[in-house]
Amino acid sequence: MEIIMAFVIGFLFMAAVYLILSKSLLRIIIGTGLLSHGAHLLILTMGGLGGEAPPVLNEGAKTFADPLPQALILTAIVISFGVTAFFLVLAYRSYQELQTDDISLMRGSDEYE
Amino acid sequence: MNNFLLLPIIIPFFFGMILMFGQKNLKYQRSFALLGILLAFVSAVSLLLKVKNDGIQKVTFGNWPVPYGITMVSDMMSALLVTTSLLIAFFVVWYGFGSITKERERFFYYPGMMFILTGVNGAFTTGDIFNLFVFFEVLLMASYLLIVLGGEKGQLKGSIKYILINVISSALFVITVAYLYSVVGTLNMADIAVKISDIHQPGIITVIAVLFLMVFGLKAAIFPLYFWLPTSYAAAPIPVLTLFGALLTKVGVYAITRTYTLFFVHDLSYTHDLLMVLAIGTIIAGCIGALAYFDVKLIIIYNIVIAVGVILFGVSQMNEMALKGAMFYLIHDMLIKAALFMLIGIVIYITGTSDLRKMGGLMKTYPALGWFYLIAAFGLAGIPPLSGFVGKLLIVQGGFDAGSMWSSIFILASSLLVLLSVIRIFLYAFWGEEKETKGTVDKKVYTTLFVPTVLLVLITVAYGVGSEWMTPFMNDAAKLLNDPSIYIDAVMKGD
């Protein structure tokens, strides 16, 4: 199971890198979304996919899934959610202000080249 | 048990929250921002003295036994860094009264400052690797706000690059923590160090060490990961640029120092040699940039890159002398970079441009500014008895002790290029014929900018002249960095 997950995560990273290297700002943000999906799945996989019950104390279950990676993912998800929301609004603002979403036209600054 | 060490983190956080209210009332915003930083600074100084007298302070949240809860650890290095950050933040906020526009001040500028301090102090103090990630995000989120606040075109362009790079490096941080967790099965830094030395750092840990170098190198702007820094930093307004230049890259430097002196100490010939090569590359790249531009902001920004290289060279030598030098130089560099950014901020305010070729002759009208700039420039280059001297001396001495002779000589040679790059600003802006200035100089605003700047320059001078007085603190920090078992014992054993 971990091997399959590793391949899936590798594919997600590949897609993310490809999208981040593209010119359109929106594609870049989609790329960062995929990147954080890959990272979160990686934490889950690296914690081990063993255990027969979810990490909630109940009678009958002998082994539980590792609770720590799940807490880490939950933290990482809300953080990346906050950053992505900010980034999307920033992209919207810069589209309004700069009239383009082409990242290659956003080089340099107005004061000097 | 001692909750005292949390005060430098909690006080800015608390003041950040109460500053969210009453955002239009400038008097309230300004006075409470200064008050908050002042209180935090006082608690940081008393924490520093406590660490000096009683050794490492730690607290584990919720009274959990050590590897299971989140531990906050204040050793000499982090106490020194926390104190310095708060000292710089005080002067930056004061300077901002004259420099930042009123619209920005009314739009959560001061809460942003407070939250960035929360993140920086938390990152310096934490003893848990995932908690370090969270504090990184706290300071990064606040820095996104501060870099884009105002919404000018240049700021939008610069901040897109800045945010994208930091999102990628944060994802890489999460990935690296996941790998590390799967190998050692713990997140507490002291416990990780114990587990790594139990398994004698196999190949996979060395790979993780290099991944950490990439993550923190993106934050600290080491070669070849510094490419994003100049243009994004140049976009920010001067007080924000000062805070970023003085604190943010240094958090990355701190994280590299912490991981490379605590975790990855069993395969020095690979990890630390790599760090040394990259540090040399960082210095070369920074020197090229610092000499290439005629823009005052970019010249000082590239000097940040050079200093990061010098500090990391000291860390890579892994002996007490060089680590002590690295500590001296780290504190010096935070202070002097803040002072220099504030000084060139005044120059930009007077002349209305950041292009050196359009400036000249400021020495006649602003002699005090000129002389203080010269002092700061000499301090940056490390001319005794100013502040940069002791750190660089010890780093080079440590480098000779560790047998890296040519690279130590190279560090000495790079000081000349640093001096050349800052003296160029002096020659162009302060000497020569007076040129027409576009900016209108308000005497009152000028005083508000000038007073905190001069005080900070004087503090750097005192830091250099009084380095004898600082030495016991630096000795403690270097001893701890050189021997990870002191840190591990303090965290893992007893309360």
Side-chain angles (χ1 to χ4, degrees):
Chain A
M1 191 61 194
E2 275 90 348
I3 299 287
I4 301 171
M5 287 295 278
F7 273 103
V8 172
I9 294 161
F11 192 78
L12 277 172
F13 285 161
M14 189 184 78
V17 170
Y18 176 75
L19 284 173
I20 286 172
L21 292 176
S22 62
K23 274 188 174 178
S24 157
L25 189 52
L26 218 49
R27 277 168 171 264
I28 291 174
I29 298 178
I30 295 173
T32 60
L34 288 183
L35 187 66
S36 55
H37 284 326
H40 300 156
L41 285 176
L42 187 77
I43 308 179
L44 195 70
T45 314
M46 284 294 145
L49 296 170
E52 57 187 22
V56 181
L57 271 184
N58 57 351
E59 287 176 35
K62 291 252 160 42
T63 56
F64 295 95
D66 191 348
L68 193 63
Q70 302 192 9
L72 302 189
I73 292 171
L74 201 57
T75 315
I77 284 173
V78 290
I79 288 173
S80 70
F81 181 71
V83 174
T84 308
F86 187 88
F87 202 0
L88 278 169
V89 175
L90 180 68
Y92 179 59
R93 272 288 292 154
S94 58
Y95 176 71
Q96 283 182 322
E97 199 81 9
L98 307 170
Q99 297 297 329
T100 175
D101 81 328
D102 189 341
I103 196 89
S104 63
L105 298 177
M106 294 185 191
R107 292 157 79 188
S109 134
D110 305 329
E111 295 166 41
Y112 38 77
E113 59 273 21
Chain B
M1 280 304 285
N2 191 355
N3 293 328
F4 188 64
L5 70 107
L6 298 177
L7 283 182
I9 306 167
I10 286 180
I11 293 175
F13 185 55
F14 175 74
F15 275 86
M17 281 192 295
I18 62 166
L19 283 173
M20 303 277 271
F21 302 101
Q23 61 176 112
K24 304 287 182 213
N25 186 346
L26 279 189
K27 220 173 234 173
Y28 157 77
Q29 290 276 321
R30 287 177 172 185
S31 53
F32 268 66
L34 270 191
L35 178 71
I37 295 177
L38 207 60
L39 281 178
F41 177 68
V42 170
S43 65
V45 169
S46 42
L47 174 66
L48 183 66
L49 296 175
K50 197 169 168 60
V51 171
K52 179 82 194 98
N53 293 330
D54 308 346
I56 297 175
Q57 302 290 310
K58 63 143 188 169
V59 57
T60 307
F61 291 144
N63 250 341
W64 291 91
V66 157
Y68 302 113
I70 290 174
T71 315
M72 302 299 265
V73 186
S74 189
D75 58 9
M76 188 44 88
M77 183 186 189
S78 60
L80 277 171
L81 288 170
V82 165
T83 314
T84 316
S85 325
L86 287 165
L87 182 69
I88 289 168
F90 180 77
F91 288 109
V92 170
V93 167
W94 184 0
Y95 182 88
F97 295 163
S99 171
I100 206 90
T101 57
K102 292 231 171 20
E103 293 76 39
R104 287 194 174 96
E105 278 186 290
R106 290 205 184 94
F107 216 86
F108 301 112
Y109 169 75
Y110 293 111
M113 282 279 176
M114 290 295 159
F115 290 134
I116 212 170
L117 281 176
T118 313
V120 168
N121 289 346
F124 286 145
T125 316
T126 186
D128 182 288
I129 197 80
F130 196 76
N131 200 230
L132 180 66
F133 165 73
V134 174
F135 275 121
F136 262 116
E137 290 303 312
V138 171
L139 76 91
L140 286 175
M141 279 300 274
S143 75
Y144 301 157
L145 166 76
L146 289 177
I147 200 170
V148 82
L149 190 62
E152 291 160 16
K153 279 186 183 165
Q155 277 184 302
L156 288 169
K157 286 178 189 170
S159 53
I160 285 176
K161 213 173 304 172
Y162 177 73
I163 295 177
L164 180 63
I165 283 297
N166 279 307
V167 166
I168 293 170
S169 84
S170 298
L172 209 55
F173 196 172
V174 172
I175 292 164
T176 313
V177 169
Y179 286 149
L180 188 63
Y181 178 70
S182 78
V183 178
V184 297
T186 178
L187 293 172
N188 183 294
M189 287 197 200
D191 202 27
I192 292 173
V194 173
K195 296 272 164 35
I196 287 178
S197 68
D198 280 352
I199 54 177
H200 297 295
Q201 192 164 347
I204 184 73
I205 293 286
T206 306
V207 173
I208 292 170
V210 176
L211 273 172
F212 266 127
L213 190 60
M214 283 167 66
V215 172
F216 299 136
L218 268 170
K219 318 254 185 215
I222 65 173
F223 173 82
L225 304 169
Y226 70 95
F227 54 88
W228 56 273
L229 181 116
T231 39
S232 354
Y233 274 21
I238 289 290
V240 175
L241 171 62
T242 310
L243 202 70
F244 283 19
L247 302 187
L248 292 199
T249 52
K250 304 308 179 292
V251 183
V253 172
Y254 163 80
I256 292 177
T257 311
R258 181 63 82 202
T259 48
Y260 272 66
T261 54
L262 188 61
F263 298 169
F264 311 117
V265 289
H266 308 282
D267 188 10
L268 294 183
S269 65
Y270 187 85
T271 50
H272 286 61
D273 279 3
L274 178 68
L275 185 60
M276 185 173 94
V277 171
L278 290 183
I280 301 278
T282 311
I283 296 171
I284 294 174
C287 285
I288 292 172
L291 294 176
Y293 287 95
F294 277 95
D295 183 288
V296 276
K297 279 191 201 170
L298 284 177
I299 292 173
I300 309 293
I301 287 171
Y302 273 104
N303 269 300
I304 303 176
V305 179
I306 301 175
V308 165
V310 173
I311 298 164
L312 288 181
F313 176 81
V315 172
S316 72
Q317 299 307 310
M318 270 318 263
N319 57 34
E320 208 169 315
M321 183 88 79
L323 285 168
K324 191 162 106 182
M327 274 311 293
F328 257 116
Y329 203 77
L330 182 54
I331 306 290
H332 143 76
D333 189 62
M334 291 167 83
L335 293 169
I336 199 86
K337 283 288 141 59
L340 276 170
F341 277 122
M342 286 154 84
L343 282 164
I344 63 156
I346 299 177
V347 172
I348 291 173
Y349 173 71
I350 293 169
T351 58
T353 171
S354 62
D355 191 342
L356 270 184
R357 283 166 293 199
K358 292 181 188 153
M359 302 174 183
L362 287 180
M363 204 60 175
K364 281 176 200 147
T365 34
Y366 298 95
L369 181 67
W371 291 116
F372 275 107
Y373 178 80
L374 197 64
I375 292 172
F378 283 161
L380 180 74
I383 291 173
L386 297 169
S387 58
F389 172 67
V390 187
K392 213 170 251 178
L393 175 74
L394 289 168
I395 288 175
V396 169
Q397 219 170 333
F400 279 124
D401 284 356
S404 25
M405 193 177 73
W406 286 109
S407 35
S408 305
I409 291 172
F410 173 77
I411 300 277
L412 288 177
S414 77
S415 305
L416 293 177
L417 294 182
V418 170
L419 185 62
L420 178 61
S421 73
V422 282
I423 285 300
R424 262 179 66 216
I425 297 181
F426 186 73
L427 292 183
Y428 274 90
F430 291 99
W431 279 3
E433 285 178 32
E434 268 184 277
K435 299 211 174 137
E436 274 181 53
T437 54
K438 267 179 263 161
T440 44
V441 179
D442 181 350
K443 202 75 199 158
K444 216 172 126 192
V445 174
Y446 177 77
T447 318
T448 335
L449 298 179
F450 192 61
V451 173
T453 311
V454 165
L455 287 177
L456 196 56
V457 173
L458 290 178
I459 286 174
T460 68
V461 173
Y463 179 79
V465 176
S467 53
E468 190 73 38
W469 187 75
M470 289 300 292
T471 305
F473 294 91
M474 299 299 174
N475 277 338
D476 280 12
K479 212 176 283 165
L480 186 122
L481 290 175
N482 196 33
D483 184 6
S485 65
I486 303 175
Y487 181 94
I488 295 168
D489 286 346
V491 176
M492 300 296 279
K493 279 177 198 151
D495 267 305

